[in-house]
Amino acid sequence: MRILGISAFYHDSAAALIVDGHIVAAAQEERFSRKKHDEGFPVQAISYCLEEAGISLADVDYVAFYDKPFLKFERLLETYLAFAPKGFRSFQRALPIWLKEKLFQKDMLRKLLKRYDENFDWQNKLLFGEHHQSHAASAYYPSPFDEAVVLTMDGVGEWATTSLAIGRGNKLEMIREIHFPHSLGLLYSAFTYYTGFKVNSGEYKVMGLAPYGSPKYADIIKKHIIDIKDDGSFRMDMSYFDYCTGLTMTNNKFASLFGRPARTKEDDELEQFHMDIAASVQAVTEEIVLKLTRSLANEFDIKNLCLAGGVALNCVANGKIVKDGSFKNIWIQPASGDAGGALGAAQTAYFHHLGMPRTTQAGNDAMQGSYLGPSFDQNDIEERLKKVGAKFETFDITEVIQKTADALSNERAIGWMQGRMEFGPRALGGRSIIADPRSARMQKTLNLKVKYRESFRPFAPSVLAEDVSDWFDIDCTSPYMLFVADIVTKRQRQMSDDERSLFGIEKLNIPRSDIPAVTHVDYSARIQTVHAQTNSSYHALISEFKKITECSVLVNTSFNVRGEPIVCTPEDAFRCFMGTELDNLVIGNCFLRKEDQDENLKLDYKSAFELD
């Protein structure tokens, strides 16, 4: 049984293919199109999935779409009617797009799929799931649990913004929902907009900025903007927002509440005010999430929790859930956003709709480390690099790992491309930029000279799974970089009184631990545990680095620059290498040094992409 899942037309479109319940392939369209958060029909992602399985669309039993367009259109109409005549400009702008494209998506999907197979039986083979059902399925079905509470939190699907489901065996029952316009995801996005970052991509910047501030506005948010109940349910005062009918997220009343207008450009100076605002919305988010999870743990006699939806990418809140201990086990879909809906739609069709059996392995999920994208064999890599004029040496993998570890220990920044590409927003050692975490200057170097992004942005550590407790205060694995925890006390460096008195970005340059490049200003880190069974080459590299340095941690950030999708192909990797101040590039068994490359091939990536 082969089922192709598709998410498209809003943001982060993707495709996923499952065969007899096994995930064969999954990828976002942006990685192929090179358009960040590409919302278009995932033509190339679908082609990749079919090619990976060695089949055509004619061999697929069902195609599952991740949401129901008619229900979304119903929300659009009912929302505008509820607020009429306010918001007519927004309605006037949105309606033609809906009437031309989105309302008739079933017919559009039929036409698009017929490009792959003229005889595609769309009347019987094309299935539609609900948005939050697809999210919930993407979290429950790949999890290692036979039974779980499933919590989905995002901006909005058709109507749902927060939903509860219970998974048992191969069934997933949707229990209850919080409906639009009351949305934790949209609340966070509103503050993302207010602090001057781009909605649907800049939310993680707010999370990263929060530790530089204090949550001094949290009480104002809870008094005026959102009413939070003891069980974590909530209602928002919509008079402060403009997203229902307007063209912006917040309005003048929102700005007046905090005493100043929204920051309009990302290159405007970040002030302590913005850091305090970020800290405040992060604190409110954590409070809501913890109240929700505690109430669900009390209500249901189930020890396992699964999370999905965009809010599940808030790894600081996730870390608080782990530490809280209301649930014994937590598993989060690594592609928690809309891209993961493609996988969830396919799994809903297979397990829930068709009733196919589901088996789990204790302690092992079905995501294969999330390495579900394309890979390239050695001959192909070499041919591609030759065509773009790259100068490289080829070694066996053991020597490649030794040379890479040695370069890392000499503070060289390295582009690392090995095996299959990751599915989801995180680079997990398949398409990563890696560096020495012991270097006090590495965070600033990578941000300003390689990633070309804001200096405050933290980097994540990759740590050998077997060594995680030696470095971080966490008692579970974190293979998908979705939990934040503190550096263990013995690795921390205590600050002087003068250093503690610093404010905001001034805190950035103070080393706080033995691994300052991955230690945030609050002594926390977003952890990736690296496992030999899912990524043997990356595990071997960190092990070799440990032999040289006695440090089993590396800096790991996504292999891209600000505003660019993570690299997919060897050509993408070489362009990024030549457009930044990376020192080395390692692809398969090929080892490249920047100083060996043709100067004429250098690129200027500093302004090549829009702000993300």
Side-chain angles (χ1 to χ4, degrees):
M1 179 72 68
R2 303 178 182 97
I3 301 181
L4 178 69
I6 296 173
S7 65
F9 306 131
Y10 291 94
H11 50 86
D12 296 310
S13 65
L17 181 69
I18 63 173
V19 177
D20 296 333
H22 175 74
I23 306 169
V24 171
Q28 296 109 292
E29 184 68 10
E30 67 164 20
R31 306 294 170 83
F32 305 95
S33 69
R34 312 308 299 156
K35 177 184 175 185
K36 188 81 167 176
H37 303 299
D38 194 340
E39 65 183 28
F41 186 72
V43 175
Q44 295 178 82
I46 291 172
S47 295
Y48 154 67
C49 288
L50 296 174
E51 184 180 336
E52 184 69 31
I55 61 173
S56 68
L57 190 65
D59 301 310
V60 170
D61 296 284
Y62 293 96
V63 175
F65 194 69
Y66 82 128
D67 70 3
K68 294 185 175 179
F70 273 105
L71 289 180
K72 281 194 173 180
F73 186 64
E74 175 188 81
R75 167 170 57 82
L76 177 79
L77 287 179
E78 289 194 21
T79 299
Y80 281 118
L81 287 171
F83 285 86
K86 183 184 174 185
F88 180 74
R89 278 182 59 219
S90 175
F91 179 73
Q92 191 178 38
R93 181 177 294 188
L95 192 62
I97 298 171
W98 272 94
L99 292 178
K100 183 180 177 183
E101 299 174 6
K102 296 183 178 181
L103 183 58
F104 301 104
Q105 274 178 13
K106 188 171 185 178
D107 187 57
M108 183 164 61
L109 285 167
R110 175 184 64 82
K111 291 176 181 175
L112 289 165
L113 291 168
K114 278 188 173 290
R115 295 180 185 177
Y116 296 87
D117 174 20
E118 180 61 34
N119 299 313
F120 178 73
D121 182 10
W122 64 274
Q123 287 185 311
N124 294 307
K125 286 188 172 184
L126 185 57
L127 306 174
F128 291 82
E130 288 198 19
H131 188 96
H132 268 232
Q133 183 184 39
S134 296
H135 271 315
S138 77
Y140 172 63
Y141 288 122
S143 79
F145 311 139
D146 293 316
E147 182 181 50
V149 172
V150 187
L151 179 62
T152 298
M153 301 169 287
D154 66 359
V156 60
E158 292 88 1
W159 278 104
T161 65
T162 301
S163 65
L164 163 68
I166 301 296
R168 290 188 177 95
N170 67 345
K171 294 299 181 184
L172 184 65
E173 183 185 2
M174 305 300 291
I175 303 295
R176 54 179 176 264
E177 302 172 336
I178 295 173
H179 282 179
F180 181 85
H182 309 287
S183 166
L184 182 56
L186 291 175
L187 174 75
Y188 209 92
S189 292
F191 280 89
T192 300
Y193 166 83
Y194 184 66
T195 49
F197 300 117
K198 189 178 287 187
V199 172
N200 285 332
S201 66
E203 284 77 5
Y204 59 94
K205 296 184 186 181
V206 176
M207 184 178 67
L209 191 62
Y212 293 96
S214 61
K216 60 174 62 176
Y217 300 101
D219 287 342
I220 292 175
I221 294 171
K222 291 188 287 183
K223 182 178 179 180
H224 295 278
I225 290 179
I226 187 165
D227 177 27
I228 308 167
K229 303 303 182 185
D230 289 341
D231 65 356
S233 60
F234 55 86
R235 288 188 67 81
M236 293 158 60
D237 184 340
M238 298 312 301
S239 66
Y240 289 94
F241 301 93
D242 213 20
Y243 61 74
C244 281
T245 57
L247 303 176
T248 60
M249 292 298 295
T250 63
N251 57 26
N252 290 334
K253 185 177 179 181
F254 187 101
S256 297
L257 181 64
F258 296 106
R260 59 193 297 176
R263 177 171 168 257
T264 55
K265 291 188 294 186
E266 285 208 32
D267 53 2
D268 287 349
E269 184 181 356
L270 277 167
E271 301 173 23
Q272 188 63 48
F273 170 77
H274 302 109
M275 300 169 203
D276 294 338
I277 285 287
S280 300
V281 71
Q282 179 64 31
V284 170
T285 298
E286 290 168 14
E287 180 180 336
I288 293 169
V289 169
L290 284 174
K291 283 185 172 180
L292 280 167
T293 53
R294 286 168 183 166
S295 68
L296 294 175
N298 288 332
E299 183 178 354
F300 299 94
D301 186 24
I302 298 173
K303 64 182 180 180
N304 305 315
L305 174 68
C306 295
L307 296 176
V311 177
L313 293 172
N314 193 309
C315 49
V316 179
N318 297 342
K320 297 287 176 68
I321 299 171
V322 171
K323 203 157 192 175
D324 185 60
S326 294
F327 285 91
K328 183 178 178 181
N329 305 303
I330 300 171
W331 193 85
I332 304 170
Q333 166 55 239
S336 290
D338 278 8
L343 176 60
Q347 291 175 316
T348 298
Y350 185 80
F351 293 113
H352 190 86
H353 178 68
L354 298 172
M356 304 301 286
R358 173 178 178 261
T359 57
T360 57
Q361 287 183 297
N364 294 317
D365 65 52
M367 288 295 293
Q368 304 159 56
S370 212
Y371 306 109
L372 298 168
S375 64
F376 300 84
D377 65 36
Q378 185 60 29
N379 289 336
D380 193 20
I381 291 168
E382 292 179 25
E383 284 300 312
R384 288 167 178 262
L385 288 177
K386 286 174 184 175
K387 282 183 180 177
V388 295
K391 303 284 175 56
F392 59 90
E393 295 178 277
T394 303
F395 306 98
D396 64 49
I397 192 63
T398 300
E399 197 169 359
V400 165
I401 286 169
Q402 289 172 344
K403 287 182 176 295
T404 305
D406 186 60
L408 287 165
S409 69
N410 286 299
E411 293 194 45
R412 290 174 72 88
I414 298 174
W416 174 259
M417 177 176 164
Q418 297 289 331
R420 297 184 74 176
M421 183 178 69
E422 302 90 339
F423 181 51
R426 306 285 187 239
L428 301 170
R431 305 288 187 276
S432 292
I433 291 171
I434 53 178
D436 186 345
R438 302 170 303 155
S439 170
R441 65 181 182 85
M442 192 55 72
Q443 181 190 10
K444 184 172 269 190
T445 297
L446 289 177
N447 269 328
L448 299 181
K449 293 189 175 184
V450 176
K451 300 287 282 188
Y452 302 128
R453 67 185 196 182
E454 302 91 344
S455 63
F456 71 84
R457 301 266 290 275
F459 289 105
S462 292
V463 58
L464 296 178
E466 56 269 31
D467 288 356
V468 64
S469 61
D470 189 42
W471 295 92
F472 305 102
D473 183 18
I474 190 170
D475 58 3
C476 66
T477 60
S478 181
Y480 304 119
M481 209 183 282
L482 288 170
F483 295 117
V484 161
D486 289 343
I487 307 290
V488 294
T489 304
K490 70 177 182 179
R491 301 286 185 183
Q492 292 182 11
R493 172 192 171 273
Q494 296 308 310
M495 291 185 289
S496 67
D497 290 341
D498 287 344
E499 289 170 341
R500 273 194 293 270
S501 68
L502 296 173
F503 288 95
I505 300 297
E506 292 175 334
K507 300 175 180 180
L508 178 64
N509 298 320
I510 307 301
R512 285 173 166 70
S513 76
D514 295 344
I515 44 175
V518 294
T519 305
H520 209 6
V521 293
D522 57 355
Y523 289 100
S524 71
R526 186 181 71 197
I527 302 158
Q528 180 203 2
T529 53
V530 180
H531 304 255
Q533 60 268 40
T534 53
N535 194 332
S536 58
S537 59
Y538 195 39
H539 188 276
L541 174 63
I542 302 174
S543 299
E544 185 67 24
F545 183 74
K546 180 184 177 182
K547 286 180 188 176
I548 299 171
T549 64
E550 298 185 351
C551 176
S552 51
V553 181
L554 288 179
V555 177
N556 176 13
T557 187
S558 55
F559 196 164
N560 64 328
V561 298
R562 176 199 69 193
E564 180 197 27
I566 294 172
V567 302
C568 176
T569 66
E571 294 92 334
D572 298 335
F574 183 71
R575 279 193 298 271
C576 191
F577 174 58
M578 295 303 293
T580 62
E581 294 183 47
L582 282 170
D583 299 303
N584 292 91
L585 174 61
V586 183
I587 310 179
N589 292 4
C590 297
F591 190 88
L592 292 77
R593 298 176 183 85
K594 180 62 68 63
E595 54 268 31
D596 296 338
Q597 305 308 313
D598 183 347
E599 287 279 328
N600 294 319
L601 295 177
K602 283 192 174 180
L603 301 168
D604 180 11
Y605 257 38
K606 198 168 284 189
S607 56
F609 299 93
E610 291 183 12
L611 285 165
D612 56 5

